[in-house]
Amino acid sequence: MKFLLKILITIPKRILSFVWSLIFSLIKTIVFLALIILALMYYANHSSSPVANQLSNFFETVTTVLDNSSFANPNKLGEQLAHLETDSHEHLDGARWSTNSATIYIATENSTFRSAYQEAIEAWNQTGAFHFKIVDQPGQAKIIAKDYSDPSTQAAGLANTKTNALTNRLVSVEVFLNTYYLSNPDYGYSQERIVNTAIHELGHAIGLEHDDEHDSVMQSAGSYYGIQEVDIRAVNQLYADKNEAA
Ligand SMILES: [Zn+2]
């Protein structure tokens, strides 16, 4: 009887001490992880080594994704809508193709974006300032038109350009439409603005920079304009000596 009583008293005690040790080890783990992250962040911000840079980029991405998620901040969406860029584009410094034409392959399977690219190509071709030739094989194309989904950027599109540093001529270009924004009804992109975004990215593929001074398809935000006179002039200017020896 005495033995049984002893066991009855011991069991809750044991359970309590087990739970407590569990909680304590959880706290230890959290403190340990926090210390490691703090140390990594300190290293990332105070060292210029490539590893530190990568770490710094990683933390930035994590912060951006957390900031952007409507879960973290439901009011963020409205704010984002107001500031959504067409893209953030690096400077081309006058880089262009050797003549005012280039081959293009449409790689997206999404029918909305396929027809947006087709309309955009048609719009540029109609200006007569530049000619895109659609090809059937990606291997035959200088420009590849794709889509992607990326909530971590504020951009509705993207243009990656490869330039020959010696000749300052474009070698290859990849353009992207960001389905994360363009296909999301919350962002209210009409078909016309999707086409304008495609025209804008193809503008970069031609070699155009942003133009926030005029009503231009190359405005860095909004994609409210199609090709304007000022855009055609910019292409003609860029390819003024298009009959250069190839
Ligand atoms: Zn742009």
Side-chain angles (χ1 to χ4, degrees):
M1 188 61 200
K2 223 176 172 182
F3 180 67
L4 197 72
L5 202 74
K6 205 174 168 184
I7 288 181
L8 278 177
I9 295 173
T10 318
I11 285 177
K13 256 180 145 178
R14 282 272 167 90
I15 292 178
L16 206 72
S17 86
F18 174 72
V19 169
W20 173 242
S21 73
L22 212 65
I23 292 174
F24 189 62
S25 61
L26 190 72
I27 291 173
K28 274 200 294 194
T29 312
I30 290 172
V31 169
F32 184 66
L33 282 176
L35 280 175
I36 287 184
I37 290 174
L38 277 176
L40 283 175
M41 283 174 93
Y42 182 84
Y43 171 65
N45 288 326
H46 291 83
S47 167
S48 55
S49 77
V51 180
N53 277 335
Q54 274 180 0
L55 269 174
S56 175
N57 288 341
F58 171 73
F59 284 126
E60 248 169 56
T61 310
V62 170
T63 324
T64 319
V65 170
L66 287 179
D67 273 357
N68 285 351
S69 67
S70 43
F71 166 76
N73 184 353
N75 294 326
K76 192 84 185 178
L77 187 65
E79 214 178 288
Q80 252 184 341
L81 275 172
H83 296 108
L84 196 62
E85 297 163 359
T86 301
D87 55 23
S88 46
H89 189 74
E90 79 267 30
H91 279 280
L92 282 163
D93 293 324
R96 45 159 262 204
W97 303 98
S98 55
T99 64
N100 62 338
S101 70
T103 45
I104 183 166
Y105 176 77
I106 303 174
T108 172
E109 295 297 323
N110 180 308
S111 59
T112 305
F113 297 131
R114 275 197 84 81
S115 55
Y117 277 129
Q118 276 159 350
E119 277 188 55
I121 288 167
E122 187 56 31
W124 276 119
N125 287 354
Q126 270 176 5
T127 66
F130 194 90
H131 187 80
F132 290 100
K133 183 177 185 291
I134 301 178
V135 292
D136 299 331
Q137 298 292 327
Q140 303 168 336
K142 295 285 188 192
I143 303 163
I144 309 280
K146 303 179 175 180
D147 64 72
Y148 76 133
S149 181
D150 186 359
S152 73
T153 151
Q154 292 275 298
L158 182 72
N160 282 336
T161 49
K162 254 192 210 156
T163 312
N164 181 326
L166 285 177
T167 60
N168 203 24
R169 292 289 174 256
L170 291 167
V171 178
S172 65
V173 180
E174 279 183 325
V175 293
F176 298 87
L177 293 174
N178 192 349
T179 58
Y180 182 80
Y181 296 116
L182 298 175
S183 299
N184 184 341
D186 287 345
Y187 291 96
Y189 271 90
S190 61
Q191 176 67 16
E192 189 191 358
R193 285 180 67 206
I194 295 176
V195 172
N196 288 346
T197 308
I199 298 176
H200 176 103
E201 299 312 328
L202 291 183
H204 286 311
I206 290 173
L208 294 182
E209 307 271 7
H210 283 159
D211 180 357
D212 288 318
E213 312 274 298
H214 305 98
D215 293 352
S216 160
V217 74
M218 296 315 291
Q219 278 188 1
S220 58
S223 55
Y224 294 111
Y225 297 100
I227 299 171
Q228 308 292 309
E229 279 302 320
V230 67
D231 301 314
I232 300 173
R233 269 204 302 279
V235 178
N236 283 333
Q237 207 172 347
L238 188 60
Y239 288 89
D241 58 341
K242 64 192 169 199
N243 295 320
E244 69 176 6

